[in-house]
Each structure stands twice: as C-alpha cells, then as structure tokens.
Amino acid sequence: MKKILVTGANGFVGSHMVELLIRKNYKKIYATKRWHLSNLNNIQHLKNKLTFIDCDLTDPVSTANLVKSVKPEIIFHFAAESFVSPSWDHPHRYMNVNYNGTLNLLEAIRNHSPKTIIHLPGSGEEYGYVDPADIPISEKTELKPVNPYAVTKIAQDLIGYVYYESYGVKVIRTRSFNHEGPRREKVFGIPWYAYQIALIEKKKQRPIIRVGHTADRRNFTHVQ
C-alpha cells in the first residue's frame, strides 16, 4: 500500500485531496501540521484516518526529518500562501513559504527519499498579463506575473524543473486556475459573494454585495 504525504492537508484543496484518497481506500496517508499554528477545522472529520507529523516546511531540518521518517511514495504539496492580496505587503513571507518550503522538500527528497514522486501545484497567476493574441493559453505561453504571489509560484515551478533535470527528482508540475467549492475561505471572491448572498437571503445583511481587493493589480501598468 502506497504511503502518501499531503502537505497543507488542512487547507481547501488539501482537505478535498485527503477525502479523495480515503474514498480510494488508501490507508497510509500522512499530513503535515505546525504544532502551534495549524487550524484543523477542515479535516476534523478525517483526523482519525490520518497520521499527522509536526513540520514547518520553511525549516530545512524539520522538512528533512519529515521525509526521512515517512519516505512517502507520493507527495501532494498543497502547503502555500495562496491569497494574492497580502503578498504585496508580505513578499518575503510568500517567498519563504512558497519557494523555500518547496526547495526544502525537494532537497529532502533528493537526499533521503529519491524514489518519491512530488506534485507541485502552480497557479494560473503565473501567466499574469496575457495579450489577447496569445489566447488560448498553453504551457508555452510566456509568464508575465503581475503580483508577488505569482512570482513565488513561478519560482516554485522552476526550482521543481531544476531538481528534475539536475537530480532526477520525480516532479510533476501543474498550473491550476481558480477552483471553488466547500471550505474555500471567504477572503476569495466567489466564496465572499456567496457568503454575502446567504446573509442577504437570511435577512442578516442589506441587499448590497460588497467587493474588494481591486488593488491587487495596483503596480501593474501595461505599456503598448
């Protein structure tokens, strides 16, 4: 039976991945959590079916110990800073989690579990500004990021490619665009609107939907 490690299992995508693995009858599912920070609300109903390991992925020692102890066949790496807006004010934090955390995992795999396959989920934000002439987007479309978050995901994407080419680490890279569903935090657009609609239907909010985060492109100017 395969040993599968899910980082960020307590998040929106990670929690759904864990549910899928359980439905497919995988028995050895490991999940990372930070001993003093992780909110496990999304996976309370799954806790008895997971083996949790305390790990701070931004710490190379902690990450190496994780990979050495589990030696997973597969890693789904969903741990990330994923909300675009704060990346303008916390660019170092985003780079530390999204790039350094991934680098620590790749290095731990290279040194301690070279047969591991790791999935690195990128983002449609990596493409940034896309000229209408370049639509539809493909894997070969030029990356033109317009916010710090996107830069960190490009860095994660490219270091994964480097470890595949240079060390033979088994890396699968994807660039997923927006996806929605239960447990998506309401700091994101569609859940925020759906939440407000529910409040309006319950007569708990005036029938006005508030929007925001229009400044996410604040430093972006396209020059023709």
Side-chain angles (χ1 to χ4, degrees):
M1 182 64 69
K2 284 186 171 63
K3 291 189 290 184
I4 298 179
L5 171 65
V6 182
T7 72
N10 55 311
F12 163 52
V13 178
S15 64
H16 286 286
M17 175 56 77
V18 168
E19 284 185 334
L20 176 64
L21 295 171
I22 291 171
R23 287 200 302 271
K24 289 186 173 293
N25 207 33
Y26 287 97
K27 302 297 185 184
K28 295 183 178 180
I29 306 172
Y30 297 82
T32 59
K33 70 180 181 69
R34 293 169 297 171
W35 67 272
H36 63 311
L37 291 173
S38 292
N39 182 340
L40 303 181
N41 289 343
N42 284 338
I43 50 176
Q44 284 293 338
H45 60 302
L46 306 172
K47 286 174 65 176
N48 294 333
K49 298 181 180 180
L50 303 174
T51 300
F52 287 101
I53 298 180
D54 289 323
C55 178
D56 181 349
L57 292 171
T58 66
D59 186 319
V61 174
S62 179
T63 307
N65 289 338
L66 165 72
V67 173
K68 278 192 292 186
S69 65
V70 177
K71 287 190 166 55
E73 278 107 316
I74 298 171
I75 298 176
F76 292 103
H77 179 36
F78 295 123
E81 292 286 0
S82 59
F83 183 28
V84 173
S85 295
S87 73
W88 291 104
D89 295 319
H90 307 280
H92 288 278
R93 166 67 183 173
Y94 274 62
M95 187 61 78
N96 195 30
V97 173
N98 296 349
Y99 173 76
N100 288 341
T102 299
L103 177 60
N104 290 339
L105 264 180
L106 292 169
E107 188 68 3
I109 290 169
R110 180 172 80 91
N111 290 323
H112 306 294
S113 187
K115 294 183 179 180
T116 295
I117 300 170
I118 183 170
H119 171 229
L120 301 180
S123 169
E125 286 284 337
E126 294 179 51
Y127 293 103
Y129 174 79
V130 179
D131 191 284
D134 295 330
I135 295 174
I137 293 171
S138 75
E139 293 88 344
K140 296 181 180 179
T141 300
E142 184 180 356
L143 304 181
K144 300 176 183 177
V146 297
N147 56 67
Y149 163 75
V151 173
T152 69
K153 296 303 282 186
I154 291 173
Q156 171 185 290
D157 187 320
L158 294 181
I159 198 62
Y161 179 72
V162 167
Y163 268 69
Y164 163 74
E165 283 287 347
S166 299
Y167 302 121
V169 175
K170 299 174 182 179
V171 179
I172 297 173
R173 301 177 296 150
T174 59
R175 294 177 188 150
S176 53
F177 286 70
N178 282 6
H179 36 283
E180 304 294 343
R183 306 183 203 127
R184 178 88 154 143
E185 293 183 34
K186 61 179 180 291
V187 293
F188 299 96
I190 291 176
W192 173 229
Y193 305 144
Y195 176 71
Q196 291 183 82
I197 290 169
L199 291 178
I200 291 168
E201 289 178 345
K202 294 291 185 180
K203 310 297 184 185
K204 294 183 178 181
Q205 177 174 311
R206 294 177 59 200
I208 299 173
I209 294 179
R210 291 171 289 165
V211 300
H213 307 305
T214 57
D216 283 354
R217 292 159 60 93
R218 63 190 174 195
N219 293 330
F220 168 55
T221 301
H222 176 59
V223 179
Q224 296 291 343

